[in-house]
Amino acid sequence: MRIVRFTTGEEPSYGILTGDLDEYGQPGDDAVIVGLVGDPLYQGIKLLEKEYRLEEVRLLAPVLPRSKVVGIGRNYAAHAAELGNDVPAEPLMFLKPNTSVIGPDDAILCPRQTQDLHYEGELAVVIGRICRDVPAEQATDVIHGYTIANDVTARDLQRSDGQFTRAKGFDTFCPLGPWIETDLDPHDFNQGRRLQTFVNGDVVQDGTTADMVFDVPALVAHVSSVMTLLPGDVILTGTPEGVGPLQVGDEVEISIEGLGTLTNKVEARA
């Protein structure tokens, strides 16, 4: 089930996206959004007798985290190595504010403080209920679904600050979308889902979720052992090798097999 959040020019609404995806992760011409009553995180799946064509709506970030986005650093060995880092002995956590979240086709705003803006294509886990100290084997019970993320990073600020808050926390530095897929088992990602990032149509990342050092259940267990997770909180699971710079005017697309494609352009921040 693909849950979308969208607007027709009025207040945001939620719906279920029907139809199959093509080989590029895009909905076909037969795709229709069936409206939902309220936010399914809190009201469950209650269908309305109203349908929308994709061209009638603008897709928004499929979730607005209630409190936080938790990032995981260096969760792919090759990515850790490309930046000269060791693989951590346990998940390396950082936080991105919920004000960094934007949706499909929204602009990533490059701030004046950085000269080295980077993309990082990632699988994102959306939490479905309040939880703490979740055993890895029970992670499925608290996961609402999965979406795609771009953990945008000011790499020069990350190096100079020696920590991640400013480098990853600017407004617009967490694109999410285009929808939440609810019908996946976290262990599906251990089998390998292809993750690709494109900049202006050129492939710059081409990895698989099978290469994650710590899998989704392990991440849910670790994060929830530190902090209470709330409905709508998001865990970013790390990025494969191939991270690199973005310039104003670039278009970045991130595709994950079975999850679709998230697209954003880079603009200068005023």
Side-chain angles (χ1 to χ4, degrees), residues 83-218:
L83 295 183
N85 299 308
D86 295 328
V87 174
E90 58 183 357
L92 174 63
M93 294 169 43
F94 59 90
L95 294 175
K96 292 173 82 85
N98 56 11
T99 50
S100 66
V101 172
I102 58 174
D105 298 317
D106 288 339
I108 298 168
L109 300 180
C110 182
R112 62 185 180 277
Q113 293 95 323
T114 183
Q115 303 301 313
D116 195 15
L117 189 72
H118 275 213
Y119 55 81
E120 293 189 9
E122 308 202 7
L123 169 70
V125 181
V126 182
I127 299 300
R129 65 176 177 85
I130 298 175
C131 59
R132 186 179 65 181
D133 293 326
V134 180
E137 59 271 18
Q138 296 178 19
T140 303
D141 297 342
V142 305
I143 294 173
H144 179 54
Y146 303 89
T147 191
I148 301 170
N150 189 348
D151 178 20
V152 181
T153 303
R155 194 70 68 197
D156 48 354
L157 302 184
Q158 186 180 23
R159 289 190 294 264
S160 64
D161 290 357
Q163 50 89 15
F164 296 178
T165 302
R166 181 167 65 139
K168 293 176 176 286
F170 283 95
D171 291 355
T172 76
F173 271 28
C174 190
L176 295 176
W179 43 72
I180 297 171
E181 174 58 74
T182 64
D183 295 333
L184 289 173
D185 186 290
H187 296 288
D188 289 349
F189 299 105
N190 296 345
Q191 305 303 314
R193 296 253 173 172
R194 192 176 190 184
L195 190 162
Q196 293 181 295
T197 301
F198 304 81
V199 175
N200 301 325
D202 296 326
V203 178
V204 290
Q205 288 184 290
D206 194 349
T208 170
T209 58
D211 290 337
M212 286 193 287
V213 177
F214 303 101
D215 66 9
V216 169

Side-chain angles (χ1 to χ4, degrees), residues 4-8 11-15 33 35 52 57-60:
V4 296
R5 181 169 166 267
F6 65 94
T7 181
T8 59
E11 289 296 314
S13 301
Y14 292 85
I33 295 172
Y52 306 83
V57 308
R58 180 169 71 89
L59 294 183
L60 306 172

